[in-house]
Amino acid sequence: MIHKILTVTFSLLLLTLLAGRRAPDLVDAADMSSTVPISGERDRCGTPERLPAGPGQSGDPADCGYWTNSPQPEYDPTFYYDIPVVFHVMQNSSGDGFLSAATIQDQIDVLNEDFQAIPGSPGAPGTDANIRFYLATTDPQGNATNGITYSTNNNWYLDSGNYWDTLAWDTNLYLNIYTNAVPCCYGYVADFPQTGIVGTNEDRVVLWWEAVGKQPTSGYPGNMGRTATHEVGHYLGLYHTFDSGCGSAANCYDTGDLICDTNRQRSPTYGCPSSSSSCNSQDPFHNYMDYSDDICFWEFTPEQVNRMRCVLENWRPDLWTGAAPTLSVSNLVAGQTGLVEVWNATPNNRCHFAWSLNGGGPISTPFGDAMLTPPYQLRMLQTDSTGYASYSASIPVSAAGVTVWCHGTDIGTRSMLNALMLVVQ
Ligand SMILES: [Zn+2]
């Protein structure tokens, strides 16, 4: 029963996702490799290369270290991280560099489309990382804000001078994005989160102001706001898909980009080719962490998502708010009314709650393993705007001493809740 319902629900979700998927052959048919490479005048990305391994950096035991990666199920996208963003718009005395609040909101929208693979958006074919971005509503002093600062300084406009020492909001707590004429490139991050930069004023994403928004003024090829997607990928610990060249297929968590589900790649992709291969496989030129044109980008892979969420947990722990959805059962007393509660699930969505008197499974479902032995009882619960849902049930007097196995799902994130094994009091 639970399996069937889960399967139907999952199939509907899949259809929804597929409906929003851009037809890859339509894009590929328009071979844009003849257009000017994005690096023609301006490098795609000025993020520094990793330094050679040194003391304290090699052999990092963390699951998402500077030199190694070890995807763990706990970092799978089972709940949302919400990240406050401040944009620091830097202009020159002629007014160049100005970005309206609407353009900046457009850029936030692009980040959300790409990081959440929102159906119907250009990012729909990607992986939903369950990471959300919003313009900060409170500044470091506790005052209300729209999350945007404006300053006029001809040096800063050219990305010169330590503007961050004047402008930065606590980088433990805010994603600081600066926009200016950054001469080097479309954008960059100052360094990766494992290097000790988190919490310093220097910790930042910098974007060329003409590559910001949904229809940036620079036009093609940086014309869809994906420079920000790429740079925020770095900010969350991702490397270029071609980092360190082909690397080793057998040691893909320790070589190349430290990610195994991105094909190995010798060098950057420019333009938007219909086909490009190296290291004995197709290059991942639709990946946000390549150098392709914006229109060619449409995905992070599941392992990249796992690494970014690992970085949020371990390297940027104060940046976000969010919590894993939790199932609890209280007052499980014979002859009384038991209370099932779900916290932190997807708001205004639904959850499954299921229980069995026959054992703890597991059985496989499209949402993950359900720790239940058939047959089950199953209820569909509606979550409120905070992600809370509840269900009350009368416990028979005769149930005292009976063991009950409980499990459930958060349908919004297509993930399992925590499993419980309880004894009726
Ligand atoms: Zn880059």
Side-chain angles (χ1 to χ4, degrees):
M1 181 67 173
I2 186 172
H3 187 85
K4 186 174 181 184
I5 289 180
L6 293 178
T7 303
V8 168
T9 308
F10 184 76
S11 301
L12 287 171
L13 281 165
L14 198 61
L15 281 173
T16 307
L17 290 171
L18 288 173
R21 181 181 288 263
R22 172 164 46 184
D25 52 345
L26 287 181
V27 175
D28 290 345
D31 182 356
M32 283 165 269
S33 58
S34 61
T35 56
V36 178
I38 201 160
S39 65
E41 298 175 343
R42 181 178 281 271
D43 282 349
R44 185 52 152 148
C45 178
T47 294
E49 295 298 313
R50 276 179 288 169
L51 297 169
Q57 290 184 332
S58 59
D60 192 320
D63 297 326
C64 41
Y66 194 64
W67 292 103
T68 61
N69 196 50
S70 177
Q72 302 294 326
E74 68 208 74
Y75 307 126
D76 284 344
T78 56
F79 62 93
Y80 286 106
Y81 291 110
D82 290 299
I83 297 177
V85 182
V86 55
F87 266 80
H88 302 290
V89 176
M90 296 182 281
Q91 305 164 81
N92 67 12
S93 50
S94 304
D96 298 326
F98 175 76
L99 294 169
S100 71
T103 297
I104 288 171
Q105 184 58 53
D106 277 351
Q107 183 63 76
I108 293 284
D109 292 346
V110 170
L111 285 172
N112 283 319
E113 290 169 2
D114 290 351
F115 278 81
Q116 294 163 47
I118 291 177
S121 78
T127 303
D128 182 356
N130 280 340
I131 297 173
R132 295 187 290 216
F133 302 89
Y134 64 97
L135 285 169
T137 55
T138 308
D139 74 10
Q141 286 73 45
N143 301 313
T145 176
N146 67 352
I148 306 170
T149 76
Y150 289 93
S151 48
T152 299
N153 182 305
N154 290 338
N155 249 348
W156 294 356
Y157 176 71
L158 296 174
D159 205 43
S160 299
N162 295 349
Y163 50 80
W164 47 87
D165 282 332
T166 303
L167 299 178
W169 292 11
D170 187 340
T171 61
N172 286 306
L173 305 178
Y174 299 90
L175 163 51
N176 282 256
I177 298 180
Y178 298 82
T179 65
N180 60 19
V182 58
C184 71
C185 48
Y186 275 70
Y188 69 91
V189 298
D191 214 335
F192 295 99
Q194 295 90 343
T195 60
I197 198 169
V198 179
T200 71
N201 287 340
E202 291 97 316
D203 186 18
R204 68 193 185 280
V205 169
V206 180
L207 302 176
W208 179 30
W209 72 279
E210 294 201 78
V212 172
K214 280 198 168 170
Q215 296 176 307
T217 49
S218 65
Y220 200 92
N223 59 333
M224 293 169 68
R226 261 68 184 276
T227 299
T229 305
H230 175 107
E231 299 304 337
V232 173
H234 285 314
Y235 175 84
L236 296 177
L238 297 186
Y239 302 128
H240 293 136
T241 48
F242 51 85
D243 191 300
S244 307
C246 291
S248 159
N251 296 303
C252 44
Y253 292 129
D254 303 305
T255 60
D257 64 353
L258 312 185
I259 300 288
C260 290
D261 66 359
T262 54
N263 283 354
R264 296 182 303 136
Q265 184 178 14
R266 186 178 308 281
S267 55
T269 304
Y270 296 106
C272 188
S274 55
S275 177
S276 175
S277 60
S278 62
C279 316
N280 301 316
S281 59
Q282 273 291 307
D283 291 331
F285 50 83
H286 295 310
N287 195 286
Y288 295 121
M289 300 316 292
D290 199 351
Y291 269 13
S292 320
D293 296 344
D294 273 13
I295 198 169
C296 214
F297 282 156
W298 60 61
E299 68 174 351
F300 292 116
T301 64
E303 287 188 354
Q304 286 177 318
V305 165
N306 190 286
R307 180 172 168 87
M308 289 192 285
R309 293 178 65 90
C310 174
V311 163
L312 283 168
E313 283 289 333
N314 295 293
W315 298 99
R316 295 191 180 279
D318 299 322
L319 179 66
W320 46 271
T321 52
T326 305
L327 171 68
S328 73
V329 177
S330 56
N331 204 43
L332 192 65
V333 179
Q336 298 191 17
T337 300
L339 179 62
V340 174
E341 293 174 292
V342 178
W343 308 86
N344 305 319
T346 306
N348 301 313
N349 208 297
R350 290 176 301 160
C351 291
H352 293 112
F353 168 68
W355 73 97
S356 167
L357 303 179
N358 302 291
I363 61 153
S364 177
T365 82
F367 291 64
D369 284 346
M371 309 309 281
L372 300 166
T373 300
Y376 322 96
Q377 297 289 319
L378 181 71
R379 294 290 181 274
M380 187 78 83
L381 312 183
Q382 176 71 39
T383 59
D384 67 14
S385 62
T386 70
Y388 175 81
S390 65
Y391 168 67
S392 298
S394 296
I395 314 296
V397 173
S398 60
V402 169
T403 300
V404 184
W405 286 266
C406 303
H407 212 167
T409 71
D410 177 35
I411 292 177
T413 53
R414 307 183 293 282
S415 62
M416 301 303 298
L417 305 174
N418 51 301
L420 299 170
M421 186 183 74
L422 304 163
V423 177
V424 179
Q425 301 301 304

PDB file of all heavy atoms in Angstrom, residues 252-266:
ATOM      1  N   CYS A 252      38.313   9.238  -8.047  1.00  0.00           N
ATOM      2  CA  CYS A 252      37.682  10.497  -8.456  1.00  0.00           C
ATOM      3  C   CYS A 252      37.249  11.356  -7.275  1.00  0.00           C
ATOM      4  O   CYS A 252      36.899  12.513  -7.458  1.00  0.00           O
ATOM      5  CB  CYS A 252      36.516  10.230  -9.404  1.00  0.00           C
ATOM      6  SG  CYS A 252      35.448   8.878  -8.923  1.00  0.00           S
ATOM      7  N   TYR A 253      37.277  10.840  -6.042  1.00  0.00           N
ATOM      8  CA  TYR A 253      36.998  11.703  -4.892  1.00  0.00           C
ATOM      9  C   TYR A 253      38.264  12.384  -4.371  1.00  0.00           C
ATOM     10  O   TYR A 253      38.202  13.186  -3.441  1.00  0.00           O
ATOM     11  CB  TYR A 253      36.353  10.903  -3.751  1.00  0.00           C
ATOM     12  CG  TYR A 253      34.958  10.418  -4.072  1.00  0.00           C
ATOM     13  CD1 TYR A 253      34.605   9.085  -3.891  1.00  0.00           C
ATOM     14  CD2 TYR A 253      33.994  11.294  -4.569  1.00  0.00           C
ATOM     15  CE1 TYR A 253      33.328   8.641  -4.190  1.00  0.00           C
ATOM     16  CE2 TYR A 253      32.719  10.855  -4.876  1.00  0.00           C
ATOM     17  CZ  TYR A 253      32.388   9.525  -4.681  1.00  0.00           C
ATOM     18  OH  TYR A 253      31.126   9.083  -4.978  1.00  0.00           O
ATOM     19  N   ASP A 254      39.406  12.033  -4.943  1.00  0.00           N
ATOM     20  CA  ASP A 254      40.676  12.616  -4.496  1.00  0.00           C
ATOM     21  C   ASP A 254      41.418  13.323  -5.618  1.00  0.00           C
ATOM     22  O   ASP A 254      42.486  13.888  -5.390  1.00  0.00           O
ATOM     23  CB  ASP A 254      41.593  11.523  -3.924  1.00  0.00           C
ATOM     24  CG  ASP A 254      40.936  10.761  -2.793  1.00  0.00           C
ATOM     25  OD1 ASP A 254      40.505  11.416  -1.829  1.00  0.00           O
ATOM     26  OD2 ASP A 254      40.835   9.530  -2.889  1.00  0.00           O
ATOM     27  N   THR A 255      40.881  13.260  -6.832  1.00  0.00           N
ATOM     28  CA  THR A 255      41.554  13.886  -7.970  1.00  0.00           C
ATOM     29  C   THR A 255      40.524  14.664  -8.780  1.00  0.00           C
ATOM     30  O   THR A 255      39.316  14.551  -8.549  1.00  0.00           O
ATOM     31  CB  THR A 255      42.209  12.832  -8.887  1.00  0.00           C
ATOM     32  OG1 THR A 255      41.189  11.958  -9.387  1.00  0.00           O
ATOM     33  CG2 THR A 255      43.258  12.022  -8.136  1.00  0.00           C
ATOM     34  N   GLY A 256      41.025  15.452  -9.743  1.00  0.00           N
ATOM     35  CA  GLY A 256      40.121  16.246 -10.570  1.00  0.00           C
ATOM     36  C   GLY A 256      39.306  17.193  -9.707  1.00  0.00           C
ATOM     37  O   GLY A 256      39.833  17.852  -8.806  1.00  0.00           O
ATOM     38  N   ASP A 257      37.984  17.237  -9.944  1.00  0.00           N
ATOM     39  CA  ASP A 257      37.126  18.147  -9.171  1.00  0.00           C
ATOM     40  C   ASP A 257      36.601  17.490  -7.895  1.00  0.00           C
ATOM     41  O   ASP A 257      35.726  18.048  -7.228  1.00  0.00           O
ATOM     42  CB  ASP A 257      35.969  18.656 -10.036  1.00  0.00           C
ATOM     43  CG  ASP A 257      35.029  17.544 -10.480  1.00  0.00           C
ATOM     44  OD1 ASP A 257      35.327  16.349 -10.236  1.00  0.00           O
ATOM     45  OD2 ASP A 257      33.982  17.858 -11.081  1.00  0.00           O
ATOM     46  N   LEU A 258      37.119  16.317  -7.556  1.00  0.00           N
ATOM     47  CA  LEU A 258      36.751  15.560  -6.344  1.00  0.00           C
ATOM     48  C   LEU A 258      35.327  15.017  -6.405  1.00  0.00           C
ATOM     49  O   LEU A 258      34.772  14.606  -5.387  1.00  0.00           O
ATOM     50  CB  LEU A 258      36.912  16.395  -5.061  1.00  0.00           C
ATOM     51  CG  LEU A 258      38.209  17.164  -4.855  1.00  0.00           C
ATOM     52  CD1 LEU A 258      38.210  17.830  -3.472  1.00  0.00           C
ATOM     53  CD2 LEU A 258      39.410  16.268  -5.021  1.00  0.00           C
ATOM     54  N   ILE A 259      34.736  15.025  -7.588  1.00  0.00           N
ATOM     55  CA  ILE A 259      33.348  14.594  -7.759  1.00  0.00           C
ATOM     56  C   ILE A 259      33.340  13.457  -8.774  1.00  0.00           C
ATOM     57  O   ILE A 259      33.923  13.584  -9.854  1.00  0.00           O
ATOM     58  CB  ILE A 259      32.481  15.762  -8.288  1.00  0.00           C
ATOM     59  CG1 ILE A 259      32.503  16.952  -7.320  1.00  0.00           C
ATOM     60  CG2 ILE A 259      31.051  15.292  -8.571  1.00  0.00           C
ATOM     61  CD1 ILE A 259      31.744  16.767  -6.044  1.00  0.00           C
ATOM     62  N   CYS A 260      32.677  12.349  -8.446  1.00  0.00           N
ATOM     63  CA  CYS A 260      32.699  11.198  -9.351  1.00  0.00           C
ATOM     64  C   CYS A 260      31.587  11.232 -10.400  1.00  0.00           C
ATOM     65  O   CYS A 260      31.721  10.613 -11.449  1.00  0.00           O
ATOM     66  CB  CYS A 260      32.618   9.901  -8.554  1.00  0.00           C
ATOM     67  SG  CYS A 260      34.125   9.570  -7.602  1.00  0.00           S
ATOM     68  N   ASP A 261      30.490  11.926 -10.128  1.00  0.00           N
ATOM     69  CA  ASP A 261      29.405  11.899 -11.112  1.00  0.00           C
ATOM     70  C   ASP A 261      29.443  13.083 -12.080  1.00  0.00           C
ATOM     71  O   ASP A 261      28.470  13.347 -12.783  1.00  0.00           O
ATOM     72  CB  ASP A 261      28.035  11.738 -10.448  1.00  0.00           C
ATOM     73  CG  ASP A 261      27.633  12.926  -9.587  1.00  0.00           C
ATOM     74  OD1 ASP A 261      28.422  13.888  -9.483  1.00  0.00           O
ATOM     75  OD2 ASP A 261      26.521  12.887  -9.016  1.00  0.00           O
ATOM     76  N   THR A 262      30.570  13.809 -12.117  1.00  0.00           N
ATOM     77  CA  THR A 262      30.851  14.700 -13.249  1.00  0.00           C
ATOM     78  C   THR A 262      31.924  14.001 -14.072  1.00  0.00           C
ATOM     79  O   THR A 262      32.944  13.575 -13.527  1.00  0.00           O
ATOM     80  CB  THR A 262      31.392  16.069 -12.787  1.00  0.00           C
ATOM     81  OG1 THR A 262      32.532  15.858 -11.948  1.00  0.00           O
ATOM     82  CG2 THR A 262      30.335  16.836 -12.015  1.00  0.00           C
ATOM     83  N   ASN A 263      31.680  13.878 -15.378  1.00  0.00           N
ATOM     84  CA  ASN A 263      32.685  13.212 -16.206  1.00  0.00           C
ATOM     85  C   ASN A 263      34.020  13.940 -16.100  1.00  0.00           C
ATOM     86  O   ASN A 263      34.067  15.155 -15.956  1.00  0.00           O
ATOM     87  CB  ASN A 263      32.242  13.188 -17.671  1.00  0.00           C
ATOM     88  CG  ASN A 263      31.193  12.118 -17.916  1.00  0.00           C
ATOM     89  OD1 ASN A 263      30.881  11.333 -17.019  1.00  0.00           O
ATOM     90  ND2 ASN A 263      30.650  12.098 -19.123  1.00  0.00           N
ATOM     91  N   ARG A 264      35.073  13.160 -16.184  1.00  0.00           N
ATOM     92  CA  ARG A 264      36.408  13.753 -16.140  1.00  0.00           C
ATOM     93  C   ARG A 264      36.611  14.655 -17.356  1.00  0.00           C
ATOM     94  O   ARG A 264      36.084  14.384 -18.435  1.00  0.00           O
ATOM     95  CB  ARG A 264      37.458  12.648 -16.072  1.00  0.00           C
ATOM     96  CG  ARG A 264      37.334  11.833 -14.775  1.00  0.00           C
ATOM     97  CD  ARG A 264      38.406  10.773 -14.665  1.00  0.00           C
ATOM     98  NE  ARG A 264      38.398   9.871 -15.793  1.00  0.00           N
ATOM     99  CZ  ARG A 264      39.492   9.462 -16.428  1.00  0.00           C
ATOM    100  NH1 ARG A 264      40.681   9.869 -16.040  1.00  0.00           N
ATOM    101  NH2 ARG A 264      39.403   8.640 -17.449  1.00  0.00           N
ATOM    102  N   GLN A 265      37.377  15.736 -17.183  1.00  0.00           N
ATOM    103  CA  GLN A 265      37.465  16.758 -18.228  1.00  0.00           C
ATOM    104  C   GLN A 265      38.862  17.364 -18.228  1.00  0.00           C
ATOM    105  O   GLN A 265      39.378  17.750 -17.182  1.00  0.00           O
ATOM    106  CB  GLN A 265      36.413  17.841 -17.933  1.00  0.00           C
ATOM    107  CG  GLN A 265      36.319  18.932 -18.970  1.00  0.00           C
ATOM    108  CD  GLN A 265      35.215  19.931 -18.623  1.00  0.00           C
ATOM    109  OE1 GLN A 265      34.709  19.940 -17.500  1.00  0.00           O
ATOM    110  NE2 GLN A 265      34.846  20.758 -19.573  1.00  0.00           N
ATOM    111  N   ARG A 266      39.449  17.464 -19.409  1.00  0.00           N
ATOM    112  CA  ARG A 266      40.834  17.921 -19.487  1.00  0.00           C
ATOM    113  C   ARG A 266      40.956  19.436 -19.369  1.00  0.00           C
ATOM    114  O   ARG A 266      41.860  19.956 -18.729  1.00  0.00           O
ATOM    115  CB  ARG A 266      41.461  17.465 -20.814  1.00  0.00           C
ATOM    116  CG  ARG A 266      42.951  17.776 -20.929  1.00  0.00           C
ATOM    117  CD  ARG A 266      43.530  17.257 -22.238  1.00  0.00           C
ATOM    118  NE  ARG A 266      43.234  15.849 -22.471  1.00  0.00           N
ATOM    119  CZ  ARG A 266      43.880  14.832 -21.904  1.00  0.00           C
ATOM    120  NH1 ARG A 266      44.864  15.068 -21.064  1.00  0.00           N
ATOM    121  NH2 ARG A 266      43.536  13.589 -22.178  1.00  0.00           N
TER     122      ARG A 266
END
